[in-house]
Amino acid sequence: MSVWVDLQGQGPVVEQLRRAAQSGAPTHAWLITGPPGSGRSNAALAFAAALVCEREQLVERGCGICRACHTTLAGTNADVTFIATEKTTIAIDEARELVRKAHDSPSSSRWRVIVVGDADRMSERTTNVLLKAIEEPPPRTIWILCAPSPADVLVTIRSRCRTLTLRLPPVTDVAALLVRRDGVDPALALHAARAAQSHIGIARRLASDAGARQRREEIVRLPLTLRDVTTAVLAAGSLLELAQAEAVSSNEERDISDKADLLRSLGAPETGTLPPPMRAQVRALEEDQKRRSKRSVTDQLDRALTDLLSFYRDVLVLQLAAQGAPAVAHSPDQAATVELVNESLREALGEFATRTRPEATLARMDAINDVRRRLTTTNVSPLLALEAMAVSLL
């Protein structure tokens, strides 16, 4: 067992992190980048576990067996601080707390490790709070920042970090991970991995939740329902409802679990009214859950648009194949460089592809990406933005 075992398809990066963990003097600041689903946070936590691993220097660190490895991966190691946000941005007060933590000596490990899972969600002012601590950290402190790309982090920060870039793992590797780690049926695992476009977290959800698979299927089929402005407006409303339903479904179990854990930790009575101090803590948790739900809807809407984008991506693949482009799969069993994401819709996709040209397909893909950018960077009404997009897809 090793902390690196779940980092599928990331051999070169894992090898560099392994060597650094073995080193007596690893680089003091790291920036791990890669597209959503590539496993940035998992890689950061695995590296943190390897750095604080209790194994002797003669044995490779990151055993995955010792107490330090277990507590790091579980998020309870006193010498490893992990911060990510379920709000729009990381607050400046949270950044200041990280700086204070960075100056504490490690309690039982070689290193104090600070992991920022959403370094791209810091404003310039917040990032500047970390600058001095990252530039000149205490002797036993190591920073690990995660972001989609180096461009998502201020140049003053990334210039002081060693950057490693992850890639999306192959579909077959993600499927193999689902089979080995989660016991998923191989055929379902392959379907989920392909539908998730190698995003490991989403592939796991699709493999384990039939409702999530059904909602995704409805999203991908939406372009087949577009006939006129009326159907486009209806499709936009359906898309928003499906994203909201997926957000509720993905958060519901976690919200219940978080509340139960809080009540248990407070020693709350099983029946009757809670004392005022306990009620205040429960209200605070519920407020946090509301903020998490708001971001979750935005994230799920972006994922829904990514799934919608996969429909037109497949259409473009078939259109290019019809024009004689090489390395395009013409059947599910044919090995090829380019495969369909939505293989089960091959017939409908093929018919749709004959009714339009590649230039029009690219224009539709641009329209979807434009809405994705607007929804994450402006305060535009989601429904109005989706309606305008849906009309442009006609």
Side-chain angles (χ1 to χ4, degrees), residues 86-87 255 259 262 279-295:
E86 286 164 344
K87 298 177 288 185
D255 287 349
K259 186 172 183 179
L262 175 63
R279 289 203 301 270
Q281 293 195 52
V282 170
R283 282 197 299 272
L285 173 65
E286 290 172 346
E287 288 300 316
D288 286 342
Q289 290 175 341
K290 287 179 182 177
R291 286 191 289 269
R292 180 168 70 198
S293 176
K294 182 178 180 180
R295 173 176 166 180

Side-chain angles (χ1 to χ4, degrees), residues 17 27-32 40-41 43-49 51 80-83 113-119 134 141-147 161:
L17 294 176
T27 303
H28 70 276
W30 298 74
L31 175 59
I32 299 178
R40 297 187 302 264
S41 295
L45 281 176
F47 184 34
L51 286 168
V80 178
T81 301
F82 179 89
I83 182 173
V113 185
I114 310 292
V115 181
V116 183
D118 291 320
I134 291 176
T141 296
I142 294 177
W143 289 84
I144 308 174
L145 311 183
C146 303
C161 298

Side-chain angles (χ1 to χ4, degrees), residues 32-182:
I32 299 178
T33 65
S38 58
R40 297 187 302 264
S41 295
N42 289 342
L45 281 176
F47 184 34
L51 286 168
V52 302
C53 180
E54 295 168 354
R55 286 292 184 100
E56 295 297 328
Q57 189 69 27
L58 295 176
V59 182
E60 182 180 0
R61 294 185 180 272
C63 64
I65 300 172
C66 70
R67 181 178 176 277
C69 284
H70 275 296
T71 54
T72 298
L73 297 179
T76 58
N77 191 303
D79 291 329
V80 178
T81 301
F82 179 89
I83 182 173
T85 184
E86 286 164 344
K87 298 177 288 185
T88 304
T89 58
I90 293 175
I92 194 167
D93 288 342
E94 294 174 293
R96 287 174 178 147
E97 179 60 27
L98 289 181
V99 173
R100 285 192 287 270
K101 277 275 188 184
H103 284 83
D104 291 341
S105 298
S107 58
S108 60
S109 307
R110 295 187 305 162
W111 308 103
R112 173 164 296 282
V113 185
I114 310 292
V115 181
V116 183
D118 291 320
D120 57 308
R121 290 183 179 267
M122 292 190 293
S123 66
E124 182 174 354
R125 181 167 172 243
T126 302
T127 304
N128 285 332
V129 170
L130 303 181
L131 182 58
K132 187 69 173 177
I134 291 176
E135 185 177 24
E136 298 177 4
R140 290 291 173 183
T141 296
I142 294 177
W143 289 84
I144 308 174
L145 311 183
C146 303
S149 75
D152 292 311
V153 178
L154 286 182
V155 65
T156 50
I157 292 289
R158 67 175 184 261
S159 65
R160 290 161 173 79
C161 298
R162 178 175 174 182
T163 301
L164 297 178
T165 301
L166 303 176
R167 65 187 183 94
L168 279 176
V171 166
T172 51
D173 284 0
V174 176
L177 176 63
L178 295 177
V179 172
R180 173 176 52 79
R181 186 183 65 185
D182 303 308

Side-chain angles (χ1 to χ4, degrees), residues 170-302:
V171 166
T172 51
D173 284 0
V174 176
L177 176 63
L178 295 177
V179 172
R180 173 176 52 79
R181 186 183 65 185
D182 303 308
V184 178
D185 174 77
L188 177 57
L190 186 61
H191 170 78
R194 183 176 288 118
Q197 299 179 68
S198 291
H199 189 302
I200 296 174
I202 292 174
R204 187 179 188 184
R205 176 159 176 76
L206 290 174
S208 62
D209 189 327
R213 293 197 297 275
Q214 177 61 34
R215 284 187 287 274
R216 183 190 180 279
E217 182 82 2
E218 292 180 39
I219 290 169
V220 175
R221 286 184 172 274
L222 280 177
L224 301 174
T225 69
L226 301 180
R227 299 288 182 271
D228 49 34
V229 173
T230 300
T231 56
V233 171
L234 292 174
S238 296
L239 184 61
L240 182 58
E241 290 173 3
L242 289 166
Q244 291 170 334
E246 179 63 14
V248 170
S249 176
S250 62
N251 284 332
E252 187 174 23
E253 184 177 341
R254 182 180 173 186
D255 287 349
I256 294 172
S257 175
D258 286 352
K259 186 172 183 179
D261 288 345
L262 175 63
L263 293 175
R264 186 164 51 251
S265 68
L266 294 174
E270 295 184 5
T271 58
T273 304
L274 294 175
M278 291 186 183
R279 289 203 301 270
Q281 293 195 52
V282 170
R283 282 197 299 272
L285 173 65
E286 290 172 346
E287 288 300 316
D288 286 342
Q289 290 175 341
K290 287 179 182 177
R291 286 191 289 269
R292 180 168 70 198
S293 176
K294 182 178 180 180
R295 173 176 166 180
S296 182
V297 170
T298 301
D299 290 345
Q300 292 298 339
L301 190 52
D302 184 74

